[in-house]
Amino acid sequence: LKALLKNGIAIFPSNAYVPYNYPHNVYAFRQDSSFLYFFGIDEPGLTGVIDFESDTDYLFGTNREIGDIIWMGKQPSVRDFADSCGVEKDKNAADIKPFLAKAKNQGRKIHYLPAYRAKTSEELSAWLNISVQEVKKQASEALIKAVVSICEIKTDEEIVQMENAGDIAYDMHTAVMKMAKAGVSEQALAGMIEGIAISQGKAVSFPVILSQDGHILHNNKHDKILKDGRLLITDAGDENNMNYASDITRVIPVSGKYTDKQKHIYETVLSANTAVYENSKPGVLYKDMHILAVTKITEGLKDAGILKGNTQDIVANGAHALFMPHGLGHAIGLDVHDMEGFGEDFVGYDDNVKRSEQFGFAFLRMGKALKKGFAVTNEPGIYFIPELINIWKSENKFTEFINYNKAEQYLDFGGIRIEDDMLITENGCRLIGKPIPKTVDDVEAMMQN
């Protein structure tokens, strides 16, 4: 980081405890990923500062008092935390405001990353003597780009942690495959896999999506009982004990066997997932992998009679987005959507690749060229969203490409998404974590286990 930023200082606030329903009843603590990456301390109430000009690091915090120790046990001092990560100087938390004021008066650049929690925005506002609105405006683009350039390339040590997170996800998803059947509640399955994540790591990496209403892309409700004939989507991952994330999606038939109709749509999505996996490598634009995926999806929907016409024309005009309105994937690492708190375009795009404004393509989070060491998700899907289909039909939208009469035969279908986590290697890519069943035969076999 010091090699990329020569001037000024950078502030890295840790996260604080967040009250659940009253001040002393808090959510499980989750450290800020950038503080965790650069300072390695998984505790609240600390702030790291890097001085790029003097080559000095600081850790600001407050030592625990006896009242805290009674409830929490003996706690390390700020000096102990500083020693644990090689920081030369420790200071009291109250010293940070005059420390930053002095730097500001000297005309030095003060770098910080965008704040995504109100508490952090308020702290930065007080420390820098600027409004919360200015805190948002003055986040350092130079620091953002420097951090992204470092953190987007996963080190060997990080890959080990991501493999561990992927192995935990294997246990989560295969448990659903073994336990899902008619009469079981979505809530029971969602609770079970969240328990697996907590028993082997720290938490789920995002609220579990487990639903028979797979056409709702981020459906966090688990209020239904499984019924034969329905498809069950499980989009879930974990954060392991070092906070590295997984993000996997599988769709299974509640009855244990896909119908012919379900099988065709499923294998169309699988063909897109497989094509992306076989073609992703350094130098390839992930935007092009998205185009490859939706091309495969278009071809499968044409075979089903839902789409018609020239495949390239369908994709170029965006008619396919009625059935896959989201992007192919995103970066993953310490955050399930890695570093997206900085802004998606800083992570997924660059000076060479800009985000499209076309419906569907606009939601692609990762579009730029892949590099060795990138970790990305590969998650094509097909969804039959009744409300969206009805709107497009009423507008006579893309009638030259879409057979609405045929599409309406799928209004009760739901949706299918197949998602894996991939590591870009020197000449291609590989899956992260133990492979989770995803062919029709393998899923059905696992469900009979």
Side-chain angles (χ1 to χ4, degrees), residues 173 176 186 189 193 208-219 221-222 226 230-236 248-254 326 380-383 414-419:
H173 283 270
V176 172
E186 294 173 348
L189 296 176
I193 62 174
V208 171
I209 298 166
L210 188 148
S211 174
Q212 293 166 106
D213 294 326
H215 59 284
I216 304 172
L217 302 190
H218 284 176
N219 187 2
K221 293 182 179 180
H222 313 122
L226 301 195
R230 300 296 304 276
L231 293 169
L232 177 68
I233 187 169
T234 304
D235 185 345
I248 303 291
T249 307
R250 293 292 186 266
V251 176
I252 63 174
V254 172
H326 64 77
I382 294 176
Y383 315 86
I416 290 175
R417 179 166 64 254
I418 302 174
E419 177 181 16

Side-chain angles (χ1 to χ4, degrees), residues 98-301:
F99 178 89
L100 295 174
K102 181 179 178 181
K104 197 172 181 180
N105 290 336
Q106 292 171 340
R108 303 183 68 195
K109 173 67 177 177
I110 299 177
H111 301 272
Y112 59 86
L113 297 168
Y116 52 88
R117 288 190 177 182
K119 175 74 171 175
T120 307
S121 294
E122 291 167 0
E123 286 178 337
L124 289 167
S125 173
W127 295 343
L128 299 171
N129 197 28
I130 58 177
S131 69
V132 170
Q133 290 74 21
E134 282 301 310
V135 167
K136 183 176 181 180
K137 292 177 183 177
Q138 293 183 27
S140 171
E141 186 171 322
L143 181 59
I144 291 170
K145 290 182 175 179
V147 171
V148 169
S149 70
I150 295 168
C151 295
E152 67 184 359
I153 305 296
K154 302 299 181 273
T155 66
D156 291 343
E157 295 88 350
E158 290 182 283
I159 293 166
V160 169
Q161 298 302 323
M162 295 193 71
E163 291 282 359
N164 173 240
D167 290 346
I168 297 171
Y170 175 92
D171 290 344
M172 295 166 67
H173 283 270
T174 54
V176 172
M177 293 178 184
K178 293 176 183 179
M179 298 296 291
K181 61 181 179 180
V184 174
S185 71
E186 294 173 348
Q187 182 177 356
L189 296 176
M192 175 184 65
I193 62 174
E194 185 161 351
I196 292 171
I198 295 170
S199 69
Q200 298 187 41
K202 284 199 169 179
V204 289
S205 52
F206 55 96
V208 171
I209 298 166
L210 188 148
S211 174
Q212 293 166 106
D213 294 326
H215 59 284
I216 304 172
L217 302 190
H218 284 176
N219 187 2
N220 300 131
K221 293 182 179 180
H222 313 122
D223 57 353
K224 292 183 172 59
I225 304 299
L226 301 195
K227 294 182 179 180
D228 278 333
R230 300 296 304 276
L231 293 169
L232 177 68
I233 187 169
T234 304
D235 185 345
D238 67 285
E239 286 191 347
N240 81 338
N241 285 324
M242 291 288 282
N243 290 99
Y244 283 87
S246 65
D247 183 4
I248 303 291
T249 307
R250 293 292 186 266
V251 176
I252 63 174
V254 172
S255 67
K257 189 172 181 63
Y258 298 96
T259 67
D260 290 343
K261 187 176 182 180
Q262 291 169 346
K263 184 177 178 180
H264 176 78
I265 300 299
Y266 186 93
E267 291 190 329
T268 295
V269 176
L270 182 59
S271 72
N273 174 280
T274 302
V276 170
Y277 179 78
E278 291 175 346
N279 287 276
S280 293
K281 60 183 178 180
V284 169
L285 297 181
Y286 215 49
K287 178 180 178 180
D288 289 342
M289 292 298 93
H290 176 86
I291 293 172
L292 174 62
V294 298
T295 298
K296 290 289 185 181
I297 282 170
T298 298
E299 291 170 349
L301 291 174

